[in-house]
């Protein structure tokens, strides 16, 4: 089994505690910006911690890869044409879109590539 990549141990452990039998974690990345706390990728699903609920509550949302219709890399190109120091992805599930922003664009590309692998 390959070792999972993660930013914060407590986020990794939170996802680990909810795994199904035989499910493996691929990566858990901390998110920046409002709404999303982190994203976890397993070999079966995408797990998003959503902090945008009322009253400081948050939800852990599991999205099976089979329900994801597409995934996009969202980038801010500066006038000079180079990327800023953050990257984002958009995960499209039916009519809903989850947008997750990361520090650095390497993570957004990794998340994008993993999701694309499982949905294609």
């Amino acid at each position: 089994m390959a070792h999972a990549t993660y930013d914060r141990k407590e986020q990794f452990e939170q996802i680990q505690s909810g795994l199904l039998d035989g499910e493996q974690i691929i990566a858990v990345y901390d998110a920046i910006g409002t709404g999303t706390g982190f994203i976890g990728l397993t070999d079966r699903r995408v797990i998003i911690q959503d902090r945008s609920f009322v009253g400081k509550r948050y939800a852990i949302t599991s999205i099976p890869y089979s329900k994801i219709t597409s995934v996009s890399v969202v980038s801010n190109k500066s006038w000079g044409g180079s990327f800023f120091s953050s990257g984002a992805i958009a995960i499209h599930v039916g009519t809903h879109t989850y947008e997750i922003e990361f520090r650095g664009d390497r993570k957004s590309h990794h998340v994008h590539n993993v999701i694309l692998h499982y949905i294609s």
Side-chain angles (χ1 to χ4, degrees):
M1 172 192 145
H3 286 287
T5 308
Y6 60 90
D7 289 331
R8 292 191 179 165
K9 194 169 178 23
E10 67 271 18
Q11 293 172 347
F12 175 81
E13 288 168 350
Q14 192 168 352
I15 287 187
Q16 198 173 35
S17 70
L19 291 179
L20 304 168
D21 277 347
E23 189 175 16
Q24 307 285 342
I25 298 175
I26 297 164
V28 183
Y29 290 132
D30 194 30
I32 59 175
T34 56
T36 306
F38 61 80
I39 183 170
L41 302 171
T42 76
D43 57 356
R44 298 186 187 183
R45 59 194 161 135
V46 176
I47 302 166
I48 295 170
Q49 183 198 48
D50 189 343
R51 290 191 303 231
S52 58
F53 284 75
V54 177
K56 296 199 194 282
R57 294 176 304 160
Y58 54 86
I60 301 285
T61 303
S62 289
I63 307 162
Y65 288 114
S66 61
K67 299 283 185 241
I68 297 173
T69 47
S70 64
V71 59
S72 313
V73 173
V74 182
S75 65
N76 292 316
K77 282 215 170 188
S78 67
W79 292 111
S82 60
F83 286 98
F84 287 147
S85 61
S86 68
I89 60 151
I91 300 168
H92 310 282
V93 183
T95 58
H96 191 83
T97 299
Y98 297 89
E99 193 172 322
I100 300 102
E101 191 176 351
F102 306 94
R103 283 176 193 82
D105 59 6
R106 188 187 58 78
K107 292 173 188 173
S108 58
H109 284 280
H110 183 226
V111 169
H112 173 269
N113 292 345
V114 169
I115 293 172
L116 196 59
H117 170 79
Y118 283 104
I119 68 172
S120 31

